[in-house]
């Protein structure tokens, strides 16, 4: 069974940077769909960055494009989310998730339905 442990998070002023790291254990070496989600109070959960680690294809939410970068280490056991030029509206609880999915099914909606999840971590961006 896959276990995910999320670290990082915290509070930062707008314009600053934070980094999240999601460590996976118990996964095999076949391709996974992995990614980060967030949920702000009163809002729907949003897929922030999703990557199919079989070929590295990555998709970002429009709201974070150009500011957030997701990356994976060579062993595919760690998935990082570098968040730059943070905005107040990035304030949310952040989660990482992973699931065995085909490349065509690797998207935020499908991943959210069947994924293994890490506990969330709070990101607060102040003005």
């Amino acid at each position: 069974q896959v276990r995910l442990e999320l670290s990082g998070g915290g509070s930062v002023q707008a314009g600053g940077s934070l980094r999240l790291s999601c460590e996976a254990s118990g996964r095999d070496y076949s391709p996974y769909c992995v990614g980060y989600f967030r949920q702000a109070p009163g809002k729907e959960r949003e897929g922030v960055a999703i990557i199919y680690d079989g070929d590295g294809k990555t998709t970002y939410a429009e709201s974070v494009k150009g500011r957030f970068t997701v990356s994976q280490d060579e062993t595919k056991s760690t998935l990082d989310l570098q968040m730059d030029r943070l905005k107040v509206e990035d304030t949310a609880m952040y989660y990482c998730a992973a699931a065995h999915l085909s490349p065509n099914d690797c998207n935020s909606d499908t991943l959210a339905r069947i994924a293994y999840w890490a506990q969330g971590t709070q990101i607060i961006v102040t003005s």
Side-chain angles (χ1 to χ4, degrees):
Q1 183 175 352
V2 176
R3 286 189 165 183
L4 302 175
E5 186 168 345
L6 180 58
S7 60
S11 181
V12 67
Q13 282 193 321
S17 297
L18 285 172
R19 189 176 185 92
L20 299 179
S21 186
C22 180
E23 186 169 350
S25 59
R27 64 165 288 175
D28 55 38
Y29 292 100
S30 59
Y32 272 72
C33 181
V34 294
Y36 280 91
F37 293 77
R38 67 185 181 186
Q39 188 163 21
K43 293 191 175 181
E44 301 256 330
R45 182 172 54 195
E46 176 185 30
V48 174
I50 309 297
I51 183 169
Y52 180 70
D53 68 16
D55 59 14
K57 181 180 177 183
T58 306
T59 57
Y60 292 94
E62 285 296 324
S63 57
V64 306
K65 277 184 181 177
R67 300 186 298 119
F68 288 16
T69 304
V70 67
S71 62
Q72 203 172 27
D73 71 337
E74 289 184 357
T75 66
K76 299 182 181 179
S77 61
T78 304
L79 184 74
D80 290 336
L81 183 68
Q82 177 66 36
M83 302 177 288
D84 298 318
R85 302 197 303 280
L86 281 158
K87 302 177 180 180
V88 172
E89 50 265 43
D90 294 319
T91 295
M93 189 71 80
Y94 283 70
Y95 303 86
C96 64
H100 263 305
L101 287 169
S102 69
N104 288 340
D105 289 331
C106 183
N107 55 68
S108 59
D109 288 343
T110 307
L111 180 59
R113 281 202 300 271
I114 69 167
Y116 296 101
W117 292 91
Q119 81 291 346
T121 189
Q122 183 73 49
I123 299 286
I124 298 173
V125 184
T126 59
S127 58

